[in-house]
Amino acid sequence: MWGYTKAAWKALWSHHKMEVLIKVKDKTIRSEAAMVVIANATMYGTGVKINPNGKLDDDFFEVILVKEYSVMEILKLRFTNMALNPKNIESFQTTSLNIKTKHKAHFQVDGEYMGKVSRIEASIIPAAINIIV
């Protein structure tokens, strides 16, 4: 957890924004972003809540667009169910998307660093996993 805390602190104070173009269904979002998160669950594996609208069984995932790091918004995400300020954080629900950045940006999948990329495509596969209880 200490490693995650140090990385988060560094990201909050030294991270540069990126220009992103996000295509979700028939909508195109152009924005500066401090971070873009594609999430199905509500939390990272560390227990930090990032996606208050996440449901594992709804056949959708959410795109969380963090436009500006805000201590207040991060605290609201972590500890409350209060609405987020769309000037700082927006969320979109979709089954597929395409993200392009002007310059390559660091990218990770489920905590594994994948390098720097300038394009991401993601789509959900409905009922891809069956769980027997």
Side-chain angles (χ1 to χ4, degrees):
M1 289 301 286
W2 178 243
Y4 286 112
T5 302
K6 286 187 346 187
W9 183 260
K10 183 177 179 183
L12 285 171
W13 300 114
S14 65
H15 192 270
H16 300 284
K17 289 185 183 180
M18 58 188 154
E19 292 180 40
V20 296
L21 182 70
I22 303 172
K23 291 188 179 184
V24 177
K25 298 179 186 168
D26 58 347
K27 186 176 181 181
T28 300
I29 300 119
R30 185 181 303 271
S31 179
E32 280 195 336
M35 182 170 64
V36 179
V37 177
I38 302 168
N40 195 9
T42 57
M43 296 182 224
Y44 288 124
T46 59
V48 174
K49 185 168 40 168
I50 188 64
N51 180 18
N53 301 318
K55 293 180 183 166
L56 293 174
D57 61 354
D58 67 355
D59 291 339
F60 291 96
F61 59 82
E62 286 71 37
V63 181
I64 295 83
L65 174 61
V66 180
K67 298 176 186 178
E68 187 77 42
Y69 285 125
S70 162
V71 173
M72 181 56 99
E73 296 304 303
I74 291 168
L75 291 173
K76 283 184 351 187
L77 256 177
R78 178 70 174 110
F79 297 110
T80 75
N81 290 322
M82 293 173 62
L84 300 171
N85 183 342
K87 289 183 180 179
N88 297 322
I89 300 176
E90 284 188 75
S91 179
F92 309 93
Q93 190 177 60
T94 189
T95 58
S96 64
L97 79 137
N98 185 306
I99 302 172
K100 292 182 184 177
T101 61
K102 186 173 182 178
H103 302 287
K104 288 186 175 185
H106 298 282
F107 180 67
Q108 60 176 298
V109 174
D110 199 22
E112 296 295 321
Y113 183 65
M114 306 305 286
K116 292 178 100 176
V117 299
S118 60
R119 185 179 178 141
I120 307 274
E121 290 184 30
S123 60
I124 199 157
I125 302 169
I129 299 173
N130 291 318
I131 299 174
I132 299 171
V133 179

